[in-house]
Amino acid sequence: MRAVIAFCVAILPLVIGITWNPPEKATDFSLYQIYPRSYKDSDGDGVGDLRGIIQRLDHLTESNVNALWLSPIYRSPMADFGYDISNFTDIDPTFGTLKDFEDLVKAAHDRNLSLILDFVPNHTSDKHEWFQKSLQGIPPYDNYYVWHPGRVENGTRKPPNNWVSALSGPAWEWRDERQAYYLHQFIKEEPDLNYYNPDVRREMEDVLRFWLDRGIDGIRIDSMKYIYEDERFLDEPLSGLTDDPNNIDYTLRIYTTDQQQTYDILPTWRKILDEYEQPQYIFIEVYANTSSTMKYYHYGADFPFNFDLITNLTRTSTAADIQHIVDSWYENMPEDSTPNWVAGNHDQPRLVARLGDPRARAATMFALLLPGVGVTFNGEEIGMTEQYISWEDTVDPLGCTASKATYQSISRDPARTPFQWDDSVSAGFSTNSHTWLPINKNYKTYNLATEKKDKNSYYTFYEKLSNLKKSPYLKEANLVTKVLDKYVFAFARETEDHGSVYAVTNFGDKASIVDLSVFDNIPRILNVHYASADSKVLPWNKIIQIRRVILPARSVVILTTLDAKF
Ligand SMILES: *[C@@H]1O[C@H](CO)[C@@H](O)[C@H](O)[C@H]1NC(C)=O
Ligand SMILES: *[C@@H]1O[C@H](CO)[C@@H](O)[C@H](O)[C@H]1NC(C)=O
Ligand SMILES: *[C@@H]1O[C@H](CO)[C@@H](O)[C@H](O)[C@H]1NC(C)=O
Ligand SMILES: *[C@@H]1O[C@H](CO)[C@@H](O)[C@H](O)[C@H]1NC(C)=O
Ligand SMILES: *[C@@H]1O[C@H](CO)[C@@H](O)[C@H](O)[C@H]1NC(C)=O
Ligand SMILES: CC(=O)N[C@H]1CO[C@H](CO)[C@@H](O)[C@@H]1O
Ligand SMILES: [Ca+2]
Ligand SMILES: [Ca+2]
């Protein structure tokens, strides 16, 4: 009987990956987001503060961070934990004083760390003096916000149109004092400023100068796409996704987001920043489609944040999906500009909760080894997971406006729990055993001090990546991306004279054997710089043949050429 020979041929989509060369003056550094309430509490009240940040700047230096971005520290009633600002030129007492801030700027600069502030131009707190005066119709504040008398239908007064807040519910709130509605694109305690009013634009320019005079190195602009609204106040077309007029997805936001005036205001801010000697960065927070996002590069931003690792990378992503995520940014970005990769932030579930470990490590590897600025949200360098927060302990306004049955899928609290420094009281975050959000119960295992001693820990991995990232040779290295198997994606960073690094990840649930010789210029053998999986298969600091590399299920591997200078 003749033997039947079965051929098993893996058919891969024929996708040619990109080769990208960093521009001459490429900006390539590591940016770290601090959520001040949760980084370090210096005075034992259970909430993080500026002195706490100063005490723990060494962690940033050790982690090769170049710039820190602080979520809002301004005076605020904390209805939205600082994004509701009642005084743009003062520090909230929770966080400290202006003197503490000045000390922080100095301490950061002493360590060559740039300090970026969150600039929140779209709205103020309803407790802001401007809004209180606007409410009473006192000039010139009467026109600082977006007021509208609404429309009367069959004798009943109704909001001017069908606009929905970006956090759900109507975007309009009635005030008897003014006999009018005001617009709030976020919570009702956050009335939108009226940017058609030149007085408002001037006030916000003064706010920028106030902080620039105190030595900051740039701004991260919050909720940029919401700044201007169409002045005709027309109904937005319905999306058809839901019949609920209070649902976030009820309308297509063509009159409340991405207005041309929103782009046009950016160069006016750029001009102010450029009046200062030290280089000033502008980063933009925007979740929008590719063309609307990329457009910010042309209006004076260093970059709009790239959230594709958050919005598009999932546990089931294929290698082709991942290659698309990576290639798209470089392909769509204007020439000679700065790419960037954001792995997480305070509005998203924790990276490890989203992807599981070790797929999360792949995302961290992308953020730090792909060319450009890599952004880390505090806690993600130690792989912090999400803590269950009871309904009673929930404080996020988004969670609180939901019901006991639904809050868990909406609340951002689980991703905001205090940083886990060590295994002492409150994970070394505070001397107080009661903290503003509960400490994650797993802190005895997952904390910076313990992880530093464990070669397989998340932090050890992060440290290795950050050491590679800081190398001047890697900053000049090109980028080549490849799909090696259905779930195996790899990219190379190649230099001419200083060696190369190959980053490989298997997102699949099965082991895969791949041939790395699809990379041109690759030598026959490479050093295993790091492997997340079984050390018997890929022992660290051992040499392997590139033609048959075994990648266990869900694994991350970093390989370097023997001549690598990083
Ligand atoms: C903001 O705070 C500063 C410093 O406390 C104060 O001088 C200023 O008047 C305040 N501005 C407003 C609008 O409340
Ligand atoms: C300070 O950091 C910048 C990049 O953030 C780097 O270019 C410069 O060499 C650093 N200076 C020192 C003294 O480390
Ligand atoms: C207003 O009244 C008219 C006539 O009674 C009716 O046809 C219409 O549906 C009403 N509109 C609303 C919005 O209730
Ligand atoms: C992206 O969004 C803008 C503004 O909302 C819209 O004008 C444009 O058509 C969209 N582009 C694509 C490709 O969907
Ligand atoms: C992200 O996913 C959306 C929806 O599937 C898709 O249209 C888009 O091309 C993806 N973007 C990237 C950069 O992968
Ligand atoms: C990522 C981010 O900063 N999101 C903020 C956007 O703005 C709203 C309102 O200011 C905040 O609630 C979000 O936290
Ligand atoms: Ca404190
Ligand atoms: Ca607005």
Side-chain angles (χ1 to χ4, degrees), residues 342-357:
V342 183
N345 65 39
H346 65 289
D347 279 341
Q348 305 295 336
R350 284 281 184 192
L351 185 51
V352 172
R354 290 201 315 271
L355 297 174
D357 189 0

Side-chain angles (χ1 to χ4, degrees), residues 293-304 329 332-334 337-340:
T293 303
M294 293 296 169
K295 200 168 155 185
Y296 287 103
Y297 274 116
H298 298 284
Y299 285 79
D302 288 272
F303 54 77
W329 195 270
N332 290 309
M333 184 184 67
S337 39
T338 299
N340 75 97

Side-chain angles (χ1 to χ4, degrees), residues 387-395 407-408 411 413-414 417 437-438:
Q387 167 64 34
Y388 162 79
I389 312 257
S390 68
W391 170 244
E392 290 71 28
D393 282 343
T394 294
V395 292
Y407 81 97
Q408 279 193 61
S411 173
D413 288 336
T417 63
L437 277 176

Side-chain angles (χ1 to χ4, degrees), residues 502-521:
Y502 296 86
V504 193
T505 180
N506 179 3
F507 247 55
D509 287 319
K510 290 197 189 103
S512 173
I513 300 175
V514 296
D515 179 355
L516 293 178
S517 64
V518 291
F519 285 102
D520 301 336
N521 318 322

Side-chain angles (χ1 to χ4, degrees), residues 121-123 146 183-186 191-195 223-229 256 262:
N122 179 64
H123 48 264
V146 185
L183 177 74
H184 60 91
Q185 293 234 45
F186 295 92
D192 275 50
L193 284 163
N194 172 16
Y195 274 87
S223 306
M224 182 85 191
K225 71 174 180 180
Y226 300 97
I227 292 183
Y228 277 91
E229 295 79 28
T256 50
T262 295

Side-chain angles (χ1 to χ4, degrees), residues 179-335:
Q179 287 293 302
Y181 292 91
Y182 67 84
L183 177 74
H184 60 91
Q185 293 234 45
F186 295 92
I187 57 174
K188 70 179 192 317
E189 291 84 359
E190 293 173 329
D192 275 50
L193 284 163
N194 172 16
Y195 274 87
Y196 292 102
N197 181 345
D199 289 338
V200 168
R201 297 201 297 273
R202 190 181 36 74
E203 295 266 20
M204 295 312 278
E205 289 171 4
D206 288 345
V207 168
L208 286 176
R209 290 198 179 89
F210 180 89
W211 295 107
L212 288 160
D213 287 342
R214 275 155 190 78
I216 63 166
D217 303 286
I219 52 172
R220 170 266 190 197
I221 306 180
D222 178 66
S223 306
M224 182 85 191
K225 71 174 180 180
Y226 300 97
I227 292 183
Y228 277 91
E229 295 79 28
D230 190 301
E231 276 190 301
R232 293 170 298 168
F233 298 109
L234 302 173
D235 273 350
E236 288 184 324
L238 303 187
S239 68
L241 296 172
T242 164
D243 291 334
D244 175 5
N246 288 325
N247 189 294
I248 307 181
D249 293 323
Y250 185 57
T251 69
L252 297 172
R253 295 173 191 271
I254 62 166
Y255 298 133
T256 50
T257 65
D258 302 327
Q259 303 298 296
Q260 181 55 40
Q261 293 93 328
T262 295
Y263 293 95
D264 293 336
I265 198 168
L266 193 51
T268 69
W269 292 338
R270 174 90 262 174
K271 191 164 158 285
I272 292 169
L273 269 68
D274 285 347
E275 288 165 13
Y276 289 76
E277 241 167 61
Q278 76 262 41
Q280 296 289 339
Y281 297 109
I282 298 184
F283 312 141
I284 310 276
E285 183 214 23
V286 58
Y287 292 86
N289 68 30
T290 304
S291 53
S292 299
T293 303
M294 293 296 169
K295 200 168 155 185
Y296 287 103
Y297 274 116
H298 298 284
Y299 285 79
D302 288 272
F303 54 77
F305 279 130
N306 172 357
F307 292 130
D308 294 341
L309 293 178
I310 293 175
T311 54
N312 281 51
L313 190 65
T314 69
R315 288 169 195 249
T316 56
S317 292
T318 63
D321 295 336
I322 300 175
Q323 185 179 51
H324 184 247
I325 291 172
V326 173
D327 289 2
S328 308
W329 195 270
Y330 297 96
E331 282 170 346
N332 290 309
M333 184 184 67
E335 233 174 273

Side-chain angles (χ1 to χ4, degrees), residues 6 28 80 238 307 313 315 447 471 496 514 534:
D28 187 304
D80 192 12
L238 303 187
F307 292 130
L313 190 65
R315 288 169 195 249
N447 66 69
S471 159
E496 264 172 33
V514 296
D534 188 348

